[in-house]
Amino acid sequence: RQLYQLDNAGISTIHAFCKTLIQRWFPQAGVDPQATVLAGDEAELLKRETLDRLFVDLYGRDDDAGNAFRNLVDEYGGGQDWQVAGTVLRVHRFIHSLADPQGRLEQAVSQADPTCPDGLAARMHQYQHHRIERELIGQIQYGWELAATIRRCWPAAKVRAEYLDEHVARLKQWQTMLKDQPPESWVSTAETIRAFELPRPPRKPSRLNEEDGAAYDKAKQLQDEGRDLFKERLLEGVCAFTADEYREGLAIIAPHVRALADLVTEFDRRYADAKRSQRAVDFDGLQRLAYQLLTSESDRSRPSEVARQLQKQYRYVLVDEFQDVDPLQAAILHCVSRESADPPQGNLFSVGDIKQSIYRFRLAEPDVFAERERRFDAGGPLGEVIRLQENFRSRREVITAINLVFQPLMRQSFGGTDYDERAALRAAATYPRQADGPMFGSPAVEILLLEPITAQTARVSEGADESGEEESEPGGATQSDRDNSEELEAIEREAFLIGSRIRRWMGLEPGVARMYVGDRPRTPGGPPTARPIEYRDIVILLRSLPHKAEPLAEVLRRMGVPARIERDAGSIDSTEFRDVLSLLQVLDNPRQDIPLAAVLRSPLLGDRFDENDLMCVRLIDRQVLFHEAVERYATGGDDSNLRERLRRVHIRLA
């Protein structure tokens, strides 16, 4: 019965659902039913063309709008309008993830107005008091941890820790000045902090042995971290300005905020006209049109007639990965579900985990999920929170390790949630007892940290340039450029570490026995069995499969560790596919050198030939083609073992 009803369920992404709505009710949406959906690159190109034309028009205008635009370019773009263009596009993209984009723009403009009764200027005292207090608490905790680290790791340099102790004591005094005081107290506290001058740190003693000298240098790096944090975030950051200077600053930037908002509004209008003239919509437009279709034109907080029809059609609305929706998508789902009906009913079933939110770069807003969780936790007629904490995949040792790592790290301010008892995982899977004996060992979780090896990532050492500016190498390369070029090397180093670990488990390293693993009982209720570990027992999980899998697998194969990449069905860019294709080409015509070399390097014929093997084959006669060199070595090569292996390959191919 359920399989029969499955065809009636609308299962799709939110964008596809919005497209279906628009095509079904195209007269109400005011869209051509045959309108094309612009690809990302096409939409970006159209946006740039529209923005360029808008800028040209504004440069030629001698009115308030033209003057405001040119002032914005001069003040915030340094005379370069491409910087302003990037800001316009980012703001436009952000507001279109909201249910009321124009309202958000107007709110930003009013907030920057110093005369607004509930704007930034009116809330300045409360905001600054909280900001300074929060910064002091963070620096006190961090300074204490730096001092403790120095005492634990480099006791010979404890004078560096004592310097940090004095610094933490001063921070606590300033915290006391703010604690339980009215919001206006931040003014005097900030003035005290600005007037303070950091004392000179203790100098390194002149006569130290090599070990103690290195300890002083290491401890100085942590000492300087505490000093730099104070200067950059407290002295030159939250305490940099007086109350009057903040008001003056708001008065200066308020016209530019208005100019930017007007610029975004006009760009949005022209971009909509450009899409309409091309009978096209973009992905953001699909959601915007669907939202307008689902809400009353006179009151966007109320569902339209179309939305009420859908509420009758859909008995339940089920949404997966709810932590990755944006506010506009959440509003669309609210309209489609009966939560917006009169009276409201709870038929919106949302599944998510705020700890897995990874799409902020796509303007996903985890706070939407968090707010829904808080609302349902408080109770009500629309539903309840069901916490899915039981994990049925991993062993208890894995779950324990994950909880130990994340409980002290995740907070509302870092990760969007507290990793408390309600968020912690619980091991629910049952596994057979590990067999006793020295060959098995206890299940364990290891964390291996692979540090970067580039010298540029180290902090400035004693006596070096302390300007804080990033040095460029010859040719103008900066650290960010080097990071991109060194990414592949980092992947290869990580692959070597993984490969070394696997070789030890497999007993391929001298003096290391092969690991045994516990297996499920062969008979129900029988004792756990054990067997030697196999390659198929090992899996490597990657965050970015397309860019990292191939380099990692290649290193493993060169180390003699077979690796298979799990790809989407139908992928023709995998090593496995290319190996099979090369084999078919050789079977069709064995006189193809490149496919033949690929087959010899692959495990398809039961024997892999590494670079040294292929080099020996090539050197038997450098004047002939490679396939001829293979034939000559198989009949008269110097290395009898290699000669025999090539002969077996020749037999298999035949």
Side-chain angles (χ1 to χ4, degrees), residues 363-418:
L363 301 179
E365 185 48 72
D367 284 345
V368 173
F369 176 84
E371 174 57 31
R372 183 175 179 83
E373 180 187 14
R374 286 190 291 268
R375 183 156 36 91
F376 277 54
D377 252 345
L382 295 184
E384 61 178 319
V385 176
I386 302 174
R387 303 193 181 279
L388 306 177
Q389 295 178 260
E390 287 73 20
N391 179 291
F392 293 91
R393 294 181 177 180
S394 305
R395 289 183 179 271
R396 185 175 303 277
E397 292 79 11
V398 174
I399 300 301
T400 301
I402 290 173
N403 288 336
L404 284 174
V405 170
F406 285 100
Q407 278 175 345
L409 289 180
M410 296 196 73
R411 295 288 183 270
Q412 286 288 344
S413 58
F414 181 77
T417 185
D418 291 321

Side-chain angles (χ1 to χ4, degrees), residues 260-534:
L260 178 61
D262 291 344
L263 199 58
V264 173
T265 301
E266 179 61 17
F267 166 72
D268 184 55
R269 185 188 67 79
R270 294 194 180 199
Y271 180 54
D273 291 343
K275 290 186 292 183
R276 196 175 300 111
S277 66
Q278 294 189 10
R279 299 171 59 195
V281 293
D282 59 7
F283 282 103
D284 291 337
L286 289 174
Q287 295 185 162
R288 177 64 50 194
L289 291 168
Y291 176 71
Q292 294 172 352
L293 182 65
L294 294 170
T295 54
S296 172
E297 190 173 352
S298 59
D299 185 0
R300 291 299 180 189
S301 64
R302 299 182 61 82
S304 65
E305 179 59 32
V306 172
R308 286 192 286 269
Q309 291 184 43
L310 291 173
Q311 291 170 7
K312 295 177 182 178
Q313 176 182 345
Y314 295 125
R315 185 176 180 184
Y316 298 106
V317 179
L318 297 91
V319 188
D320 196 12
E321 307 293 356
F322 197 84
Q323 77 279 353
D324 287 323
V325 303
D326 60 38
L328 179 58
Q329 292 170 341
I332 292 172
L333 296 169
H334 177 72
C335 292
V336 174
S337 73
R338 296 174 190 169
E339 288 187 357
S340 61
D342 187 19
Q345 302 174 32
N347 75 326
L348 175 56
F349 185 89
S350 55
V351 179
D353 182 358
I354 199 171
K355 301 187 295 297
Q356 297 185 41
S357 180
I358 59 173
Y359 289 112
R360 281 185 182 269
F361 68 96
R362 294 183 183 173
L363 301 179
E365 185 48 72
D367 284 345
V368 173
F369 176 84
E371 174 57 31
R372 183 175 179 83
E373 180 187 14
R374 286 190 291 268
R375 183 156 36 91
F376 277 54
D377 252 345
L382 295 184
E384 61 178 319
V385 176
I386 302 174
R387 303 193 181 279
L388 306 177
Q389 295 178 260
E390 287 73 20
N391 179 291
F392 293 91
R393 294 181 177 180
S394 305
R395 289 183 179 271
R396 185 175 303 277
E397 292 79 11
V398 174
I399 300 301
T400 301
I402 290 173
N403 288 336
L404 284 174
V405 170
F406 285 100
Q407 278 175 345
L409 289 180
M410 296 196 73
R411 295 288 183 270
Q412 286 288 344
S413 58
F414 181 77
T417 185
D418 291 321
Y419 202 95
D420 52 20
E421 287 301 318
R422 301 185 305 170
L425 298 176
R426 298 172 185 168
T430 56
Y431 286 87
R433 179 180 61 84
Q434 286 290 96
D436 297 327
M439 66 178 63
F440 304 110
S442 300
V445 175
E446 296 178 297
I447 298 179
L448 306 178
L449 302 180
L450 190 64
E451 295 186 1
I453 59 173
T454 54
Q456 291 85 354
T457 58
R459 292 183 57 83
V460 177
S461 60
E462 191 128 22
D465 178 21
E466 298 184 0
S467 65
E469 296 183 1
E470 184 180 38
E471 291 189 17
S472 295
E473 291 181 347
T478 63
Q479 179 61 48
S480 58
D481 298 326
R482 292 190 294 269
D483 288 344
N484 292 332
S485 64
E486 290 160 0
E487 181 181 1
L488 184 59
E489 180 184 351
I491 296 170
E492 291 175 338
R493 291 178 61 235
E494 186 175 346
F496 180 79
L497 178 63
I498 295 171
S500 300
R501 210 71 175 172
I502 294 174
R503 286 181 59 86
R504 289 183 62 84
W505 294 340
M506 298 300 297
L508 300 178
E509 298 294 336
V512 179
R514 188 170 181 175
M515 179 187 292
Y516 276 66
V517 294
D519 206 347
R520 293 187 180 276
R522 291 198 179 101
T523 58
T529 60
R531 58 174 174 78
I533 191 172
E534 299 178 12

Side-chain angles (χ1 to χ4, degrees), residues 53-65:
R53 287 193 292 269
L54 173 59
F55 280 12
V56 170
D57 290 346
L58 289 171
Y59 275 123
R61 292 171 61 174
D62 193 19
D63 54 8
D64 291 342

